Amino acid sequence: MRRVRAAVVAAPGAPFTVRDAELADPRPDEVLVRTTAVGICHTDLGMRDAWPRRLTPMVFGHEGAGVVEATGADVTGLAPGDPVCLTFARCGGCEQCATGHPAYCPAAAAHNFSGGRPDGTSPLSLGGRPLHGGFFGQSSFATHVVVRASGVVKVPSDLPPEVAAPLGCSGQTGAGTVLNRLRPRPGSSLVVLGTGGVGLSAVMAAVAAGCAPVVAVDPVASRRSLALALGATAALEPGDGLVGALRELTRGGAHHVVETTGRPESARTAVAALRPRGELALLGIGREVAFDVRELLGKGIRVHGVIEGDSDPDRFLPELLDLRARGLFPLDRLVTTFPFEAIETAVAAMRDGSAVKPVLTFA
């Protein structure tokens, strides 16, 4: 066991409180990673508020980056000192994992959202009592994590950890939705509704893919300005007249719309803004959405539900890093760093729109 610092949630909806905790040594198929940076995602906050009381106290965090400190006896391809990005957990042996779609692993809930390992244990403890973790296979709101080796991707040694961290979720979710699932043709129109870390990653990927126009929609002026700086053709504020403006900009309707907010009204706006045989990708985790089926059928709309950008991280994260090296995926421009102990300050900055992608760093 080793002493670690972790941001603990004592009960559903409670604030993050940084506390001393204990972390067990890695099992044969696991890796011990010293965390150097971790992004904050809206999913961390939404799940914190809705998390079952029986699975508290709990440690969240799922955009971790760090350095390998130890590996289990069965781990190959990783060694102490390797800089890594952490990503979601999966079984590795099912049909979806074997065919390059591990985000849809049937065992995903047990590996990512059960409050521990699939066998019910947790490597974390607090004052001698179990501390729930394993969020997205990580719980990286902590100075050290124990994760399955399959959720660890090596990254270049010169990659800043604050850039590596968001790759594991928001970067690959937004970009992967465009590049892995929608696969737009150059010159096709693409609209992104909501320009947080996921939405702006989608904007950058659409620009890299040669989409035109690329239109961003967000209520926060600074985020609209950033979308334009990242290559969007136009950036609009939501509200009355939005559908008409989008249809005019896209000359009769968008080929593709990426909806990141999870809001039912935004999803309906997306359908109205599409052209016949257009495609809608739903990324935001939200409530039920009621669509007019006649509109879907009459326009031949294809609706995609997308998790983690439908990516195979071992393949896709290096592709994103290649795009970044070529200046086509400047993820750095989304990041604002905060000390780990200031986690609640970072949360407030994300909520008020002053930080697109808050990333906690460790001394």
Side-chain angles (χ1 to χ4, degrees):
M1 301 289 285
R2 69 172 55 226
R3 302 287 288 182
V4 300
R5 296 281 282 169
V8 178
V9 173
F16 296 108
T17 303
V18 179
R19 301 181 62 181
D20 290 324
E22 301 84 38
L23 182 69
D25 292 334
R27 289 179 174 180
D29 64 343
E30 294 177 336
V31 178
L32 171 67
V33 176
R34 175 176 57 84
T35 313
T36 52
V38 56
I40 299 178
C41 176
H42 284 286
T43 302
D44 292 306
L45 308 186
M47 294 296 280
R48 176 184 69 170
D49 293 343
W51 197 250
R53 185 173 295 274
R54 62 183 175 81
L55 297 180
T56 57
M58 175 70 185
V59 178
F60 292 94
H62 66 285
E63 289 187 342
V67 177
V68 173
E69 288 205 340
T71 61
D74 296 339
V75 175
T76 60
L78 293 167
D82 285 342
V84 294
C85 171
L86 307 181
T87 188
F88 61 92
R90 59 275 196 192
C91 78
C94 68
E95 176 187 3
Q96 298 303 322
C97 289
T99 56
H101 305 282
Y104 305 104
C105 171
H111 282 282
N112 296 285
F113 308 115
S114 65
R117 301 181 177 100
D119 66 4
T121 63
S122 172
L124 287 163
S125 57
L126 185 66
R129 295 188 173 187
L131 174 59
H132 292 283
F135 189 58
F136 278 83
Q138 302 177 38
S139 288
S140 46
F141 287 162
T143 56
H144 290 78
V145 295
V146 166
V147 297
R148 290 189 71 192
S150 60
V152 179
V153 180
K154 285 199 292 187
V155 296
S157 59
D158 61 350
L159 181 68
E162 64 270 22
V163 178
L167 284 172
C169 183
S170 59
Q172 75 175 352
T173 296
T177 296
V178 175
L179 302 176
N180 297 331
R181 181 65 71 86
L182 295 177
R183 299 184 179 183
R185 296 179 179 178
S188 60
S189 52
L190 190 144
V191 173
V192 178
L193 301 178
T195 57
V198 171
L200 287 173
S201 293
V203 167
M204 291 187 288
V207 172
C211 294
V214 176
V215 185
V217 178
D218 199 279
V220 180
S222 60
R223 294 188 179 186
R224 295 196 301 270
S225 297
L226 181 54
L228 292 171
L230 293 171
T233 311
L236 305 178
E237 188 174 3
D240 294 340
L242 175 61
V243 171
L246 291 174
R247 293 183 64 83
E248 181 177 356
L249 281 167
T250 58
R251 298 182 181 180
H255 292 93
H256 310 282
V257 176
V258 177
E259 204 295 306
T260 73
T261 72
R263 296 174 179 169
E265 64 274 17
S266 184
R268 289 190 288 271
T269 294
V271 171
L274 284 164
R275 68 177 58 205
R277 302 184 69 247
E279 296 185 81
L280 167 61
L282 297 173
L283 279 61
I285 299 175
R287 297 168 292 173
E288 293 183 357
V289 181
F291 291 118
D292 185 337
V293 175
R294 292 171 298 180
E295 184 176 17
L296 295 180
L297 295 177
K299 294 174 71 174
I301 300 300
R302 179 179 296 181
V303 179
H304 300 264
V306 189
I307 297 175
E308 295 287 350
D310 196 2
S311 70
D312 179 347
D314 290 327
R315 176 193 62 81
F316 188 58
L317 296 190
E319 291 181 6
L320 288 183
L321 290 175
D322 179 66
L323 287 176
R324 176 181 176 271
R326 293 158 51 197
L328 298 175
F329 193 69
L331 188 61
D332 321 46
R333 300 185 65 176
L334 278 57
V335 170
T336 303
T337 58
F338 297 82
F340 173 56
E341 302 277 342
I343 183 171
E344 282 293 333
T345 301
V347 169
M350 183 169 65
R351 283 182 161 159
D352 68 19
S354 59
V356 173
K357 173 51 60 178
V359 175
L360 307 174
T361 57
F362 297 76

